[in-house]
Amino acid sequence: MKTVLFALRVSELERSLAFYTTVGYVNLGTVPFDDGSSLVWLRLPAELSVSLELVHRPADGPVEVGGFQHFAIEVDSLTKTLARLTAAGLNPAEPELPGGPEGPKTSQLLDPDGYRIELVEWPPSGPPTFE
């Protein structure tokens, strides 16, 4: 088994789509529905298939984020990623070293609806393994 994707309900589809494509996601296509709702499938460039689905259901009203903690995106260089996102007008948080100087480098970023994204650069030893 493997995780295929996760879905986030968004308030304003175009605003969220612009945000996620600025982060680095590639738009794979939209599935429209007769009631005005739609799904947009996205993936990161190194992924082979859809990994994020934006769910837009205007009739359900604004999104209220609750119970959702965050999702994480692995980056090759946190420094370069933060510079690119800042230059694009996004506002990532200052880098942190939650595992100390030998651990991962991380930063946080909020999407337009308030979902938190963790950006992670693993140390040269790679991500933690659990055996």
Side-chain angles (χ1 to χ4, degrees):
M1 292 191 303
K2 70 176 185 172
T3 301
V4 176
L5 64 84
F6 61 94
L8 298 175
R9 192 166 82 78
V10 299
S11 295
E12 296 179 33
L13 183 58
E14 293 306 317
R15 178 183 70 171
S16 293
L17 189 54
F19 173 86
Y20 283 102
T21 56
T22 298
V23 167
Y25 279 89
V26 176
N27 184 344
L28 298 176
T30 301
V31 180
F33 297 96
D34 292 338
D35 65 357
S37 62
S38 61
L39 307 175
V40 177
W41 291 335
L42 305 168
R43 69 170 174 82
L44 290 168
E47 295 172 329
L48 299 177
S49 63
V50 61
S51 62
L52 174 62
E53 179 178 87
L54 301 181
V55 179
H56 185 237
R57 291 193 306 251
D60 289 352
V63 170
E64 294 182 27
V65 177
F68 178 85
Q69 179 62 32
H70 72 278
F71 69 93
I73 298 173
E74 180 179 342
V75 299
D76 291 330
S77 167
L78 187 62
T79 301
K80 289 179 183 177
T81 299
L82 296 181
R84 181 179 62 77
L85 295 176
T86 300
L90 302 185
N91 191 22
E94 291 296 318
E96 297 179 9
L97 299 171
E102 302 303 316
K105 297 175 188 173
T106 66
S107 178
Q108 309 294 318
L109 182 66
L110 291 179
D111 90 344
D113 285 298
Y115 294 111
R116 188 163 56 97
I117 303 165
E118 180 179 27
L119 304 169
V120 180
E121 176 186 338
W122 296 115
S125 60
T129 57
F130 302 96
E131 295 180 32

